[in-house]
Amino acid sequence: MKVEKIPVAPGNFNLKNYDEAYANFDWADVEKEFTWYETGKLNMAYEAIDRHLLTERKDKTALLYSDAVREESYSFAQLSELSNKFGNVLRNLGIAKGDRVFVFMPRTPELYVSVLGTLKVGAIVGPLFEAFMEAAVRDRLENSEAVAIVTTPALLSRVPVKDLPALKHVILVGAKGELEEGQVSFEAAMADATSDFEIEWVDREDGMILHYTSGSTGKPKGVLHVHNAMIQHLQTGKWIVDLQENDVYWCTADPGWVTGTSYGIFSPWLNGATMVVRGGRFTPEDWYKTIEKYKVTVWYSAPTAFRMLMGAGDEVIKQFDLSSLRHVLSVGEPLNPEVVYWGLRAFNHRIHDNWWMTETGGQLISNFRCMEIKPGSMGKPFPGIYAAIIDDQGNELPPNRMGNLAIRTGWPAMMRQIWSNPAKYQEYFNIPGWYVSGDSAYKDEEGYFWFQGRIDDVINTSGERVGPFEVESKLVEHPAVAEAGVIGKPDPVRGEIIKAFISLRDGFEPSEELMEDIRKFVKEGLAAHAAPREIEFRDKLPKTRSGKIMRRVLKAWELGLPTGDLSTMED
Ligand code: WTA
């Protein structure tokens, strides 16, 4: 297959020659850049923030924040002091190394201070996306036995405090009026706390952050990352994100998802970058205005966002000065070639796609600035990473053959546990020597990887991973729903949308109102992004004889494809 390549754009890159770097790379050389290389004692928050206080970066702006009402900026020194204080707040509550502290907040400076302070006492951060509703919050706090949560009065109603015996402290940002037992005012506690703080040194393999993510079956699983991940966050920040001293970097992802922490907190600050955080909702004008206002130079976003911007038209772009941009990146879902061409047309920039997952903790495959881009390809493995396409037995397949996208085990940011579920963890490593991603892909003869799809039923809607089982479980709690099967339906903007096939209980009839009611039920019970955009009522759903809904058949119905082998289907 002949594919057009987009040549390397002129510029000054951190990584000059990919092949050479790939051939000579050793993670051990990256480790030497940290002081803990000799001491063995480390802490992500120290490396990301406090360490810079010994350098010229001390008063450099670390965070540029704005939303509809606030506009603030924080230097590394200020973040260091605030997170020290928050560390003391937690310590005064008796929170210590290994405890799980959840952060359930809109994207505000307090969120970042809370994450850093939690790390400073050696506790494990559990970030929760602000759109989660009660069931989603409950599952995660219950599974991890969290001892504390930092949240706001508005989100508190979704935290079932009384049902969570392990949860002892609720730290409220912006609390007004009387507090209940177990509640702490963030502002009052911060005002009382000193900024004298002795950081908790941890070991490389100690838990740092717990990101819950979805699979095709079962409840969301807690993917545990350890402090050692910083090695990869530092180096990918240099070579993929291409962070340089004077950059103003904007990662549009929310810290509730892995991109919003690995590349929205750790990687940029380890590299001493100035980072923009924008609270509030997406509009094309607002996004372009953010780039113009802060003179953003490096912009990391996602295909759905680019497609929405593309849909808003090129006229909008002309109203803004986007000339500060020098590097654009994308992650989370397949980046369509036409979006790459739009990027060239609209901003005169290549959009650099890269691939990784919650479980991998950091970027693994990428289009590097110093390399030609084949639109539609995710690029090539990061130095130190061996990626391959393998069959189900673990044999590597020749070029252009589709198979399992797998990585040789043992990179620095690889997850270390699925929280309290070793069996689930093991499933990723069933083929000895490999981490099997669950994505299918092929590699071309030049070593570029091409994403083909998910092997399981996991849905990727607007770059957010949704497990069909979670949505189905919520749906069947609705009084009208007898059975439900949920699939991802291809969508030109969102990649996929969630579609539910539903059979109703006796006494209920399909109607527009019922559809709306069911949608609202999921939205309010689980999360807005998990609610099915489309619902189709059916008298019966295809099931195996053991009673499992056959999503594969639903998908075939939806796409008008042959349903394949139906031998296991009930009559
Ligand atoms: C998908 C997000 C195509 C993939 C960092 C993966 C992608 C899942 C790409 C992980 C890409 C991620 N092209 N698909 N460049 N990047 N994906 O855990 O299916 O939210 O397995 O991590 O998103 O999603 P997660």
Side-chain angles (χ1 to χ4, degrees):
M1 185 173 52
K2 183 99 183 71
V3 183
E4 190 188 340
K5 291 182 188 164
I6 307 177
V8 176
N12 174 27
F13 319 139
N14 285 328
L15 178 68
K16 306 280 188 286
N17 183 322
Y18 170 80
D19 293 321
E20 201 179 290
Y22 195 87
N24 299 316
F25 185 80
D26 190 347
W27 287 114
D29 295 331
V30 184
E31 294 178 18
K32 289 182 191 139
E33 296 192 28
F34 296 99
T35 48
W36 53 258
Y37 183 69
E38 270 144 34
T39 62
K41 290 292 178 188
L42 67 161
N43 188 307
M44 172 65 95
Y46 175 81
E47 300 296 334
I49 304 293
D50 297 353
R51 178 174 56 100
H52 302 304
L53 271 57
L54 306 171
T55 72
E56 285 175 3
R57 288 181 182 145
K58 179 169 182 260
D59 297 314
K60 179 176 173 178
T61 302
L63 175 62
L64 287 163
Y65 178 79
S66 64
D67 60 28
V69 288
R70 295 170 69 175
E71 188 167 334
E72 292 158 19
S73 96
Y74 298 82
S75 66
F76 282 101
Q78 286 169 317
L79 283 185
S80 172
E81 185 181 334
L82 289 167
S83 53
N84 274 353
K85 285 190 175 191
F86 192 68
N88 277 323
V89 170
L90 293 179
R91 217 168 247 171
N92 292 341
L93 294 172
I95 292 165
K97 185 173 165 185
D99 286 341
R100 277 76 62 205
V101 175
F102 274 66
V103 178
F104 181 36
M105 299 241 289
R107 234 175 294 164
T108 55
E110 291 74 22
L111 185 160
Y112 295 84
V113 168
S114 301
V115 167
L116 295 169
T118 300
L119 294 175
K120 282 187 169 180
V121 298
I124 298 171
V125 179
L128 285 178
F129 186 45
E130 108 187 76
F132 282 146
M133 304 303 284
E134 184 172 316
V137 174
R138 179 197 303 269
D139 282 348
R140 289 158 175 82
L141 294 179
E142 207 166 61
N143 177 260
S144 62
E145 296 175 286
V147 299
I149 187 166
V150 189
T151 188
T152 64
L155 295 175
L156 183 61
S157 63
R158 307 183 199 160
V159 185
V161 181
K162 296 209 164 57
D163 307 344
L164 297 163
L167 187 69
K168 301 210 173 55
H169 312 286
V170 175
I171 301 167
L172 285 171
V173 178
K176 302 219 164 55
E178 290 285 295
L179 295 174
E180 288 172 27
E181 203 192 314
Q183 295 183 344
V184 176
S185 152
F186 178 92
E187 290 78 7
M190 287 290 277
D192 288 345
T194 98
S195 53
D196 289 337
F197 183 76
E198 243 173 78
I199 199 162
E200 178 80 28
W201 297 114
V202 299
D203 294 321
R204 295 165 61 150
E205 293 298 316
D206 280 329
M208 176 183 76
I209 193 163
L210 191 57
H211 271 288
Y212 278 81
T213 190
S214 301
S216 55
T217 57
K219 297 222 173 199
K221 39 195 178 183
V223 171
L224 182 75
H225 291 291
V226 298
H227 287 258
N228 190 66
M230 68 172 75
I231 298 168
Q232 194 168 341
H233 294 155
L234 179 79
Q235 197 62 22
T236 51
K238 282 197 171 66
W239 284 357
I240 293 179
V241 194
D242 195 41
L243 292 169
Q244 299 177 19
E245 197 57 49
N246 294 323
D247 275 321
V248 177
Y249 167 68
W250 186 28
C251 169
T252 62
D254 189 277
W257 310 112
V258 74
T259 307
T261 57
S262 290
Y263 295 92
I265 297 180
F266 307 135
S267 178
W269 284 341
L270 285 167
N271 281 290
T274 297
M275 186 169 89
V276 169
V277 170
R278 175 85 189 133
R281 291 185 66 84
F282 166 91
T283 68
E285 288 78 8
D286 193 58
W287 273 34
Y288 291 135
K289 201 156 38 179
T290 300
I291 295 173
E292 178 180 79
K293 172 172 165 176
Y294 291 111
K295 300 196 168 42
V296 170
T297 57
V298 180
W299 184 28
Y300 194 9
S301 197
T304 292
F306 290 124
R307 288 188 293 256
M308 286 179 172
L309 292 172
M310 186 168 91
D314 295 1
E315 280 307 305
V316 193
I317 302 177
K318 294 194 188 123
Q319 300 163 24
F320 300 91
D321 177 5
L322 308 179
S323 61
S324 57
L325 281 177
R326 68 170 192 89
H327 185 31
V328 185
L329 306 100
S330 170
V331 73
E333 348 150 37
L335 182 67
N336 335 47
E338 70 240 57
V339 178
V340 177
Y341 291 117
W342 166 78
L344 286 174
R345 215 178 51 235
F347 320 115
N348 195 24
H349 278 289
R350 311 193 306 173
I351 302 178
H352 296 74
D353 189 19
N354 48 78
W355 176 91
W356 57 293
M357 308 173 66
T358 305
E359 291 87 336
T360 74
Q363 297 158 332
L364 294 182
I365 295 180
S366 179
N367 289 284
F368 295 83
R369 299 202 67 189
C370 61
M371 112 191 179
E372 294 174 319
I373 286 180
K374 298 185 184 183
S377 160
M378 311 188 285
K380 296 188 182 185
F382 195 77
I385 299 295
Y386 189 79
I389 305 299
I390 62 174
D391 65 15
D392 292 342
Q393 284 69 47
N395 305 304
E396 281 194 51
L397 296 174
N400 298 321
R401 287 267 307 277
M402 189 168 130
N404 300 295
L405 173 54
I407 311 293
R408 275 252 182 263
T409 49
W411 63 94
M414 187 176 90
M415 63 168 171
R416 297 300 201 268
Q417 269 182 48
I418 296 293
W419 194 262
S420 69
N421 196 342
K424 199 75 176 180
Y425 186 73
Q426 185 51 41
E427 283 174 17
Y428 292 89
F429 304 98
N430 277 340
I431 302 179
W434 296 100
Y435 162 84
V436 181
S437 68
D439 286 351
S440 66
Y442 68 88
K443 181 168 98 164
D444 68 19
E445 43 293 279
E446 291 181 306
Y448 284 77
F449 283 79
W450 299 76
F451 179 84
Q452 298 295 289
R454 276 301 293 180
I455 285 156
D456 56 21
D457 298 332
V458 171
I459 300 166
N460 190 333
T461 178
S462 301
E464 279 156 10
R465 237 166 110 173
V466 177
F469 178 78
E470 270 180 272
V471 184
E472 289 162 359
S473 306
K474 193 78 221 167
L475 284 167
V476 297
E477 286 175 23
H478 187 282
V481 176
E483 288 176 326
V486 165
I487 60 162
K489 172 181 173 173
D491 180 81
V493 175
R494 294 183 167 80
E496 287 182 312
I497 56 164
I498 299 172
K499 169 151 187 178
F501 290 83
I502 287 173
S503 68
L504 292 173
R505 287 179 186 277
D506 286 345
F508 289 93
E509 291 299 322
S511 71
E512 277 297 325
E513 294 78 57
L514 182 56
M515 225 183 253
E516 206 34 64
D517 190 65
I518 293 173
R519 205 174 284 136
K520 198 165 141 239
F521 183 76
V522 179
K523 215 178 246 178
E524 291 175 358
L526 200 56
H529 65 271
R533 278 184 184 264
E534 270 186 33
I535 291 176
E536 186 173 324
F537 295 114
R538 292 263 179 164
D539 291 340
K540 270 183 94 170
L541 298 183
K543 280 189 293 183
T544 60
R545 287 197 195 92
S546 56
K548 242 182 112 205
I549 308 255
M550 298 174 83
R551 299 189 191 114
R552 159 176 83 74
V553 176
L554 295 173
K555 193 130 187 179
W557 282 356
E558 186 58 44
L559 302 177
L561 296 171
T563 43
D565 179 10
L566 294 180
S567 59
T568 60
M569 190 152 103
E570 65 172 9
D571 298 335

